[in-house]
Amino acid sequence: MGEAGGVLVVGADGTIGAAVAARLEAIGHDVIRTSRRRSPETLPLDLAADPASWRLPGGVAAAVLCAAVTSTEACRSRPDEARRVNVEAPVELGRRVAAAGGRIVFLSTNMVFDGTVPFTPASAPRCPQTAYGRMKAEAEERLLSYGDAVSVVRLTKVIGRTLPVIEGWRATLGRGETVHPFSDLPMAPVTLDLAAAVIAAAACERLGPILQVSAGADLAYADVAARLAARWGFAPELVRPVTVAESGTRLEHVPAHTTLDASAVRDRLGLESPDPWAAIDEVA
Ligand SMILES: NC(=O)c1ccc[n+]([C@@H]2O[C@H](COP(=O)([O-])OP(=O)(O)OC[C@H]3O[C@@H](n4cnc5c(N)ncnc54)[C@H](OP(=O)(O)O)[C@@H]3O)[C@@H](O)[C@H]2O)c1
């Protein structure tokens, strides 16, 4: 790695990685994709493997670190494995890219905060309440210690065409059964397009140490389920909201808020925090 070259997208077969790689190509960048799936035209890279075995291309201008163990349950139940992928690997990869003069964009989450206040500022102290959030918080802090080469992009819930929870609701409703979405669990959904636009912009030019992408308000999962059920033509009685406590589900943490202060994205890129329903209305 050394002089300016293409953009390395690590985890290019993931939801966000694929969208970011496509966007960067669409605006004229050479994109080098990594994947652990051995899909065509990707470099194989398993972040859980020994870093000595990694074969990284030289001369990248920037690396966008999209690969992660994103399941909060996997982070809780298999912390050693998840930590290798979510903390040790991005920190080492970032170290190598920064040492060679490249920029790093690391994807993080509102879950580095506890969600006690809405629109958490980027500068607020991290206070994660889940294993996943703690890993992201540690990786952020260690990567940012490399200095100006690094930008962290924190995202709230990103929705492409769907989400596993949404597919679950649709399948259950399709069988004529009731769904029990949480009435006290919030999300601040943004479209995959918005997330990819901000991440691609951060890969092209350093826009600051931390950028936050957020919808302009939170929605309860129960309200999202009700809206989608109506759109899909299911009877409203089939949506019966419950609180997390009533459901008996053991979540590590139920935040009161998930929105982030996205004023840097507005000021630097002219992108306002969208209405949260805009992302829901893009669900297939
Ligand atoms: N989606 C959101 O709402 C959201 C919100 C906040 C932050 N983020 C962050 O944004 C990033 C991308 O999220 P996403 O939603 O696109 O996740 P995703 O669809 O689950 O994709 C994650 C990618 O990471 C790869 N990966 C997992 N373990 C790996 C390993 N050991 N070595 C190499 N690659 C590995 C996966 O590979 P396979 O394709 O082989 O499974 C997959 O391509 C993550 O850092 C996530 O924490 C996402």
Side-chain angles (χ1 to χ4, degrees), residues 14-16 36-37 46-47 66-68 70 108 132 136 156 158:
T15 309
I16 297 176
R36 60 174 180 174
R37 295 190 203 173
D46 183 350
L47 295 183
C66 303
T70 52
S108 189
Y132 170 72
K136 288 290 189 181
T156 58
V158 178

Side-chain angles (χ1 to χ4, degrees), residues 72-73 76-77 129-130 182 185 243-254:
T72 51
E73 177 50 28
R76 199 189 57 75
S77 59
Q129 302 294 310
T130 63
F182 297 134
L185 188 66
T243 63
V244 173
E246 283 164 355
S247 76
T249 308
R250 291 168 59 112
L251 294 186
E252 278 177 284
H253 179 57
V254 180

Side-chain angles (χ1 to χ4, degrees), residues 161-162 165-175 232 234 283-284:
R161 301 287 285 164
T162 190
V165 65
I166 290 175
E167 284 315 293
W169 291 336
R170 195 205 301 258
T172 305
L173 293 166
R175 293 192 299 271
W232 295 329
F234 296 110
V283 170

